[in-house]
């Protein structure tokens, strides 16, 4: 692996290696007085974010620092991008400053792929448009491993705005590769048209689709990517596709509630469900640091030093 662009292109062995190294990172750092490893000392990781982020940007920064790398945070909103500088020129400028890896979030699908054509270092996709968000899917799979004892044979319902969700796409390819059954549930207007050959079940009724699940992944309704009215009102969406306590009770007792964040509390998920012990939302954030440590380590060292 030279870059991490999508989960679709990962082999099962590569995905399992990342999850194994994630576990090693968590074990190596948890409980240490100084939670740091020397593996990436002298390396520079650039966070190149053209879109807002709370979790992913800070998580990559924390991960790189825990591996003793130097971190440069670049926010497009306060840079010469506002003066018209292109993605290529921005990337080449950062490379000239010695970037060994570039973590990029961009509203255009395919932007990370373009970067790989211009840069010598590793490129890590931190979310490109509605296309892919591979480290989110990896941290979700790791969270399932920890909470459910594995991914193989588990049934996962992904609920809501699938159409605009890079998290859904990355999870579909990763979870099915790891042997899970994936159900997509949402209003027909928020399911992509071209999913006939996706390895998933489709459902439109949330109550029915929650029966027998091991995990439910609630997606944020992405108002910022919607250029049309996909459902009549927020209240109706919430009534049909929101996860509340009544619906939580339809799930098996062991089943967990996941959300990649940020959440629209009261819309796709009730506050009481988001804060319940069955929700893994803050664990997912913690696990994101271990996953990003693992991918930075594997891409920058080829797994050869620790
Ligand atoms: N889950 C996720 O990508 O969150 P951010 O947009 O805050 O990074």
């Amino acid at each position: 692996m030279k870059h991490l662009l999508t989960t679709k292109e990962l082999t099962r062995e590569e995905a399992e290696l990342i999850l194994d190294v994630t576990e090693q990172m968590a074990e190596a750092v948890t409980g240490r007085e100084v939670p740091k490893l020397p593996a990436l000392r002298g390396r520079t990781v650039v966070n190149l974010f053209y879109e807002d982020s709370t979790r992913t940007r800070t998580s990559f920064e924390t991960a790189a620092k825990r591996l003793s790398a130097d971190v440069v945070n670049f926010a497009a909103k306060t840079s010469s991008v506002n003066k018209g500088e292109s993605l290529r020129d921005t990337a080449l400028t950062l490379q000239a400053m010695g970037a060994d890896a570039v973590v990029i979030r961009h509203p255009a699908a395919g932007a990370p792929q373009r970067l790989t054509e211009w840069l010598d270092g590793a490129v890590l996709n931190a979310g490109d448009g509605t296309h892919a968000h591979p480290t989110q899917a990896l941290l979700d799979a790791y969270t399932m491993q920890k909470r459910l004892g594995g991914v193989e044979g588990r049934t996962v319902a992904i609920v809501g705005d699938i159409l605009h969700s890079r998290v859904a796409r990355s999870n579909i390819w990763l979870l099915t590769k790891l042997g899970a059954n994936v159900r997509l549930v949402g209003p027909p207007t928020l399911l992509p048209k071209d999913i006939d050959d996706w390895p998933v079940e489709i459902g439109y009724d949330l109550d029915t689709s929650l029966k027998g699940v091991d995990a439910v992944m609630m997606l944020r309704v992405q108002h910022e990517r919607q250029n049309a009215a996909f459902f009549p009102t927020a209240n109706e969406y919430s009534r049909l596709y929101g996860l509340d306590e009544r619906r939580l009770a339809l799930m098996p007792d062991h089943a967990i509630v996941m959300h990649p964040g940020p959440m629209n509390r009261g819309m796709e998920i009730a506050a009481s469900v988001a804060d319940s012990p069955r929700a893994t939302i803050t664990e997912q954030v913690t696990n994101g640091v271990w996953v990003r440590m693992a991918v930075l380590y594997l891409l920058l060292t080829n797994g050869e030093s620790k």
Side-chain angles (χ1 to χ4, degrees):
M1 265 188 301
K2 178 157 173 17
H3 308 290
L4 178 62
L5 302 181
T6 67
T7 53
K8 195 172 184 181
E9 70 195 9
L10 285 177
T11 63
R12 180 168 180 156
E13 291 68 33
E14 286 170 333
E16 287 174 344
L17 174 65
I18 293 170
L19 296 174
D20 288 348
V21 175
T22 297
E23 181 66 20
Q24 291 168 23
M25 291 296 172
E27 283 172 4
V29 170
T30 304
R32 272 199 180 201
E33 197 174 330
V34 181
K36 274 191 139 182
L37 303 174
L40 297 187
R41 192 177 286 152
R43 306 297 186 94
T44 299
V45 175
V46 173
N47 281 326
L48 181 56
F49 275 62
Y50 285 78
E51 238 188 32
D52 296 343
S53 169
T54 298
R55 281 146 287 270
T56 311
R57 196 194 62 71
T58 51
S59 176
F60 265 113
E61 179 175 355
T62 305
K65 286 181 173 168
R66 288 197 175 161
L67 290 168
S68 305
D70 296 319
V71 180
V72 177
N73 286 315
F74 174 96
K77 280 181 185 156
T78 54
S79 73
S80 290
V81 169
N82 284 333
K83 301 175 191 165
E85 188 157 53
S86 69
L87 175 61
R88 181 171 184 273
D89 286 338
T90 303
L92 291 177
T93 301
L94 295 168
Q95 176 162 278
M97 290 180 199
D100 296 293
V102 174
V103 177
I104 178 170
R105 171 168 288 191
H106 200 283
Q113 171 71 46
R114 290 293 282 159
L115 270 198
T116 66
E117 295 160 21
W118 302 323
L119 298 185
D120 300 328
V123 175
L124 293 92
N125 183 0
D128 60 331
T130 61
H131 176 226
H133 192 351
T135 54
Q136 178 67 48
L138 286 159
L139 75 88
D140 291 336
Y142 180 72
T143 302
M144 285 178 212
Q145 272 192 1
K146 299 299 282 181
R147 277 286 197 117
L148 302 171
V151 174
E152 175 108 49
R154 307 304 190 277
T155 297
V156 183
I158 304 180
V159 181
D161 185 0
I162 314 285
L163 182 65
H164 300 100
S165 178
R166 56 197 177 203
V167 174
R169 285 171 180 75
S170 287
N171 265 296
I172 289 162
W173 301 117
L174 181 66
L175 295 176
T176 54
K177 201 169 302 214
L178 295 173
N181 312 305
V182 174
R183 290 178 189 164
L184 304 184
V185 191
T189 49
L190 286 175
L191 289 166
K193 301 278 173 275
D194 56 347
I195 53 179
D196 287 349
D197 55 351
W198 289 12
V200 294
E201 296 167 30
I202 308 290
Y204 302 105
D205 180 71
L206 184 52
D207 286 13
T208 309
S209 296
L210 288 176
K211 298 204 171 111
V213 295
D214 298 290
V216 61
M217 194 177 290
M218 303 306 297
L219 298 176
R220 183 172 68 89
V221 175
Q222 299 196 33
H223 298 290
E224 75 277 18
R225 294 192 210 279
Q226 297 187 359
N227 53 11
F230 288 91
F231 46 85
T233 64
N235 273 350
E236 175 158 324
Y237 181 88
S238 184
R239 189 171 58 76
L240 292 174
Y241 293 104
L243 188 64
D244 56 13
E245 295 204 30
R246 181 189 70 76
R247 289 198 166 116
L248 189 64
L250 298 176
M251 295 165 52
D253 290 343
H254 72 274
I256 57 173
V257 176
M258 308 180 76
H259 195 305
M263 290 182 274
N264 295 311
R265 281 174 184 256
M267 189 160 181
E268 72 268 4
I269 189 166
S272 58
V273 175
D275 296 331
S276 83
R278 294 175 69 182
T280 61
I281 297 157
T282 52
E283 280 167 57
Q284 288 169 259
V285 175
T286 304
N287 292 340
V289 175
W290 315 135
V291 159
R292 288 168 181 130
M293 285 177 76
V295 294
L296 284 169
Y297 167 73
L298 287 166
L299 291 179
L300 287 175
T301 70
N302 226 357
E304 280 163 12
S305 77
K306 203 166 354 169

